[in-house]
Amino acid sequence: GEEAVELYTISDTSSSVAVAEAAKTKNGGTTLHKGKTTFHVSNPNGSCAYIHDANLGLIKCDFNESGRGNNVATPFLQDSKSIQLAKCSPRGSYLLTWERPNSGSSDNNSGNLKVWDATTGAFLHGFSCKKATLTTLQWTHDEQFVFHLVTNEVHVYSSDAFQRVGKVRCTGISSFSLPSVKGVPSNTIPGQGSEGKYLLTAFVPGVKGKPARVDLLRYPDRMGRESSTLAQGEDKVNIPSGPSLASKSLFNAEEVNVRWSPRADSALLVTQTAVDNTGESYYGSTHLFLLLENDNKRPGFGTAISVPLPAEATKTSNGTVPIVGAEWITNPQISGPVPFAVISGRMPALTSLHHGVTAEPTFLFGRAHRNTVDVSPHGRFIACGGYGNLAGGMDFWDRNKGKKLSRRVMLAPANNGEANYVTIKEQSDLSVTSSSPVVGHQWSPDSRTYLVSTTSPRMNVDNGVHIYRYDGSLVDESQLPWDNASYRPDKLLCAEFVPAPFPSQEDEKSFYYYPDRPQSPPPRGIVELKGEAAKSALAKLSSQSNQLNRKSGNGSTAAPAYVPPGARKSGGGGGGAYVPPGARKGGPGRGGSSLAERMRQEREGNAANVSGIKVTKRTGPVGASSVTGGGGAGEKSKSALRREKQRMAKEKAEQEAAEAERRKKEEEAARVEANKADPEKRAKKIKKTLKQIDEIKANEKSGVDLNEDQKKKVASEESLRKELAGLGL
């Protein structure tokens, strides 16, 4: 907060029973530091926090028992009062800070972008950076190398001595990105033993009519033709590098946000423009691309593809689908390619899961007012939320099962002292809404709890922190170790979980300090209500919730909604909800729906509920529906399609034959009727036809080949003569 930095310990929240038992012995938190603070940074290894005090500078507060409660009076970094930004290296060995440039200093080694030892606080190296950003200096995942962005180049340094060992030459480069995870399998260059590889992306904005460009590079062997590494030893010569792995031209991109896969072998590119020329979005236009290190069609090269979005996503008036958010599933040990989640389309936006290589949609979470996807550290649970300007609705999913998580609700003990609970399973009842606007949100390192916070300066009212279990059930404030009332209205700056310690370095396959746990089983000794008893309990809970919602802050009943005079009953106020004339029963349009509601339904189209549906493989044109049928069956096999095609062809032939037979009978009946009406005219026509038949026979005898019509006419000679004889003329 603005006045202090506090550390709290949350007890086991896997069930309501565990929380209730822990609440009996709950203790207050520990104040790490008192004073006016501006920001803090937690070390990725979970050992300490670096806090900036406006009067002291950057100080270090340990999380261990011996370091708690000791108010530090001396700064950890020398002359650090002017620091405005700070971050740690991926493994927490180094600390990077930025402060405003000092025009009086000309020594580059003590610039305004400084690197410090995170353990001792010793100054290591300095760089110059005019912009208030920390992205121009990045470490590799193992902290072996440091990449520094300068004009048209990225310089590569060794982390231990900050000696330059290479450069990436890229004319016009404005930003780059390195993955902060080690990846699976270990990052090594194919065919070169144990030599490490480090992927990075380089973004070049468009200038003078040229499109922007993103290159996928690999240090040290595939950094581009103009790049090089520096040979070690006495003869330090530049060793040229190979071409880039992949390159993608971007025609509508002013900024690029890179999200690396947990395996560090692919990346999502979310491109954005500041202004949408079509006028569809206030936030500009967005697009999504997937960069892959390996292309199956071109060994030794990568590829860049545009992510195909589900046809069920709501399009804008010009047919485009805006990108709201995109996140990877965080577990690199998933069998097969690691998938990623995308929120796309106009509100209510569609959340979908995509294949990690082909980028095709594979699962639809559904359409709702959501703009954020938070994946738990183990990749099992997913929270889809509508934060910021949205109402704060949340859906909690189990990715392994493809279902929303059912929620258990503990009931007050009965008269006989027996404890009961009910399970909420209805999809419409599983969505939860935060009681205050959500600014901060984060999964705990063990994937069991989810934190949402309302902080200043984004929101200067109702500051506080709330905890949800992985299934979306809210932990009551009375069971939390902190008091949200002390943070109101605007005293909370940030709230976050302390990072978990890194797993043992010896275990290359280990990625998590905490084990991956599925949903907790039902609590022992507590009976679940089912059937009518469960329905009655849920109805009672719903009624109690509605009564609480109707109460204002001082306990009085909130004022009823305004009803126009024309809609009120003659007996007094009330009269029910007001219905506009155009939506009343018998009026134009659909009864019971307002104009705004009907316009919204028309805008969103006639798409059915697409929540929790697997997506079939695309075989039709782009934009065709990709959702399986109501029965959930997949697409037909090739043999089934061939048999269906043959059956349809046979039916068509039979229909054509029946139609020809029908026409023949109609013509015969018409001819009979004509003969009865004027036999002389019919006899004259038959004689003419018989004369033509005699001529055809003569030509046939002279060697002329007859066509089909002539053969048919000759074949009808006998029937024509019988018909002529029957006329009696």
Side-chain angles (χ1 to χ4, degrees):
E2 292 183 350
E3 301 175 353
V5 177
E6 301 167 339
L7 179 67
Y8 293 94
T9 301
I10 302 177
S11 58
D12 181 19
T13 59
S14 58
S15 66
S16 301
V17 178
V19 173
E21 291 296 327
K24 298 177 181 178
T25 58
K26 73 172 184 177
N27 298 317
T30 301
T31 300
L32 297 178
H33 180 76
K34 288 184 178 181
K36 185 175 178 58
T37 59
T38 55
F39 67 86
H40 77 276
V41 178
S42 297
N43 194 300
N45 59 24
S47 61
C48 62
Y50 304 96
I51 303 169
H52 186 263
D53 189 304
N55 298 321
L56 295 176
L58 201 69
I59 60 177
K60 179 182 179 181
C61 296
D62 293 329
F63 291 148
N64 54 38
E65 294 292 340
S66 60
R68 297 183 185 179
N70 299 326
N71 202 59
V72 181
T74 57
F76 179 64
L77 303 182
Q78 192 176 18
D79 299 330
S80 56
K81 291 183 180 180
S82 58
I83 290 178
Q84 297 185 6
L85 301 174
K87 76 171 183 179
C88 290
S89 57
R91 301 200 60 86
S93 302
Y94 304 96
L95 189 64
L96 179 65
T97 63
W98 182 91
E99 57 192 68
R100 291 186 180 276
N102 185 1
S103 59
S105 175
S106 59
D107 186 6
N108 182 60
N109 205 37
S110 60
N112 62 313
L113 188 65
K114 301 179 181 180
V115 181
W116 312 78
D117 189 303
T119 304
T120 64
F123 173 77
L124 299 178
H125 200 75
F127 300 90
S128 295
C129 181
K130 295 182 179 180
K131 294 183 179 180
T133 179
L134 299 174
T135 59
T136 57
L137 191 74
Q138 300 180 34
W139 279 268
T140 56
H141 69 275
D142 54 4
E143 299 181 348
Q144 293 295 317
F145 300 98
V146 180
F147 288 67
H148 179 228
L149 176 64
V150 296
T151 305
N152 296 328
E153 291 181 348
V154 177
H155 293 170
V156 185
Y157 297 86
S158 60
S159 293
D160 52 357
F162 283 91
Q163 293 182 351
R164 188 168 148 188
V165 295
K167 69 175 181 179
V168 178
R169 177 71 181 180
C170 188
T171 304
I173 182 173
S174 65
S175 64
F176 73 101
S177 177
L178 283 166
S180 60
V181 292
K182 63 180 179 180
V184 177
S186 301
N187 287 336
T188 56
I189 299 176
Q192 298 191 22
S194 60
E195 184 176 1
K197 68 173 182 180
Y198 305 96
L199 295 183
L200 69 149
T201 60
F203 174 63
V204 179
V207 291
K208 296 181 179 179
K210 294 183 179 180
R213 187 182 81 251
V214 169
D215 294 329
L216 180 62
L217 310 174
R218 184 173 67 198
Y219 177 83
D221 62 328
R222 302 293 293 275
M223 301 187 299
R225 296 295 188 185
E226 300 180 4
S227 306
S228 62
T229 56
L230 194 63
Q232 302 299 314
E234 296 182 359
D235 299 330
K236 294 185 177 181
V237 295
N238 289 330
I239 302 175
S241 179
S244 61
L245 293 172
S247 182
K248 181 66 176 178
S249 297
L250 308 172
F251 292 90
N252 289 305
E254 297 176 0
E255 298 178 0
V256 169
N257 192 346
V258 181
R259 294 178 173 86
W260 286 97
S261 160
R263 293 181 182 171
D265 59 354
S266 54
L268 289 173
L269 304 179
V270 182
T271 66
Q272 185 171 4
T273 58
V275 178
D276 186 0
N277 294 328
T278 63
E280 291 289 341
S281 174
Y282 172 79
Y283 300 100
S285 60
T286 53
H287 299 84
L288 183 63
F289 301 92
L290 176 63
L291 287 179
L292 299 172
E293 179 188 7
N294 300 310
D295 186 0
N296 296 331
K297 298 180 180 179
R298 295 192 309 161
F301 286 88
T303 184
I305 58 178
S306 177
V307 175
L309 301 174
E312 294 74 23
T314 309
K315 299 178 176 61
T316 60
S317 59
N318 59 359
T320 60
V321 180
I323 303 299
V324 182
E327 291 294 340
W328 288 95
I329 301 302
T330 51
N331 191 346
Q333 298 173 318
I334 295 175
S335 59
V338 178
F340 57 91
V342 178
I343 304 179
S344 59
R346 297 185 61 178
M347 291 295 167
L350 177 67
T351 306
S352 54
L353 199 65
H354 293 247
H355 192 274
V357 175
T358 64
E360 290 284 346
T362 59
F363 184 82
L364 302 182
F365 292 98
R367 185 181 290 111
H369 287 79
R370 304 290 183 261
N371 58 5
T372 303
V373 175
D374 280 338
V375 184
S376 63
H378 297 85
R380 180 184 294 271
F381 305 125
I382 298 177
C384 302
Y387 306 143
N389 296 332
L390 299 182
M394 292 175 282
D395 299 315
F396 292 85
W397 290 79
D398 187 328
R399 184 192 59 83
N400 295 355
K401 297 181 178 180
K403 296 180 180 179
K404 282 186 181 181
L405 289 161
S406 58
R407 187 162 59 251
R408 302 187 187 99
V409 179
M410 303 302 301
L411 302 176
N415 296 331
N416 57 3
E418 185 181 38
N420 299 318
Y421 74 92
V422 291
T423 303
I424 301 177
K425 299 179 181 179
E426 290 294 332
Q427 296 291 310
S428 58
D429 297 332
L430 291 177
S431 297
V432 296
T433 303
S434 174
S435 58
S436 57
V438 177
V439 178
H441 43 90
Q442 181 189 18
W443 280 99
S444 62
D446 62 353
S447 300
R448 308 305 290 178
T449 54
Y450 187 68
L451 175 150
V452 296
S453 61
T454 304
T455 58
S456 177
R458 175 65 178 83
M459 293 297 297
N460 292 324
V461 292
D462 295 334
N463 283 191
V465 184
H466 301 278
I467 299 294
Y468 291 84
R469 301 181 190 89
Y470 63 89
D471 60 356
S473 56
L474 176 66
V475 178
D476 192 84
E477 285 195 32
S478 62
Q479 299 170 348
L480 297 176
W482 58 82
D483 183 13
N484 282 327
S486 62
Y487 304 136
R488 299 188 182 105
D490 58 352
K491 296 182 180 180
L492 186 64
L493 297 179
C494 180
E496 63 183 14
F497 284 108
V498 173
F502 291 117
S504 174
Q505 289 282 0
E506 288 77 16
D507 188 2
E508 285 292 331
K509 297 182 180 180
S510 178
F511 283 83
Y512 301 104
Y513 179 80
Y514 296 99
D516 183 14
R517 296 167 53 193
Q519 301 179 49
S520 299
R524 295 180 180 178
I526 302 179
V527 181
E528 180 184 7
L529 298 182
K530 297 182 179 180
E532 293 299 328
K535 293 181 180 179
S536 176
L538 289 174
K540 184 177 180 181
L541 288 173
S542 177
S543 176
Q544 293 175 354
S545 177
N546 292 334
Q547 290 178 5
L548 290 176
N549 291 335
R550 286 196 298 266
K551 295 290 184 178
S552 61
N554 56 10
S556 60
T557 304
Y562 171 74
V563 180
R568 298 171 185 169
K569 290 184 178 180
S570 58
Y578 172 66
V579 180
R584 295 172 186 169
K585 187 175 181 179
R590 288 173 289 181
S593 297
S594 65
L595 177 61
E597 176 71 11
R598 285 182 282 132
M599 292 177 65
R600 182 185 66 81
Q601 292 177 357
E602 182 179 356
R603 183 175 67 249
E604 295 173 7
N606 296 323
N609 184 16
V610 292
S611 177
I613 297 180
K614 290 185 179 180
V615 178
T616 63
K617 183 179 179 182
R618 292 176 185 262
T619 56
V622 176
S625 179
S626 56
V627 180
T628 58
E635 59 183 15
K636 296 181 179 179
S637 62
K638 291 183 178 179
S639 58
L641 292 173
R642 183 173 62 254
R643 289 194 299 269
E644 183 177 1
K645 185 177 181 180
Q646 293 173 351
R647 179 181 59 81
M648 295 177 64
K650 183 179 179 181
E651 291 178 355
K652 184 178 180 181
E654 292 176 352
Q655 291 176 357
E656 291 178 351
E659 182 68 18
E661 184 67 20
R662 183 185 63 80
R663 287 198 301 267
K664 183 177 180 180
K665 291 181 179 180
E666 291 179 353
E667 291 175 357
E668 181 68 20
R671 185 166 57 251
V672 172
E673 292 295 330
N675 293 343
K676 293 179 181 179
D678 192 352
E680 293 183 356
K681 184 176 181 181
R682 177 59 183 166
K684 185 178 180 180
K685 185 175 181 180
I686 292 175
K687 292 178 181 179
K688 181 179 179 181
T689 305
L690 291 175
K691 184 179 179 180
Q692 293 175 350
I693 292 174
D694 293 338
E695 293 177 354
I696 293 173
K697 286 182 177 181
N699 292 335
E700 184 180 12
K701 291 180 180 180
S702 62
V704 178
D705 294 333
L706 304 182
N707 56 31
E708 292 297 327
D709 292 337
Q710 290 173 335
K711 291 179 180 179
K712 289 181 180 180
K713 187 173 288 188
V714 172
S716 64
E717 179 181 7
E718 184 178 357
S719 61
L720 291 175
R721 292 191 182 278
K722 289 182 180 180
E723 183 181 356
L724 181 62
L727 294 176
L729 298 176

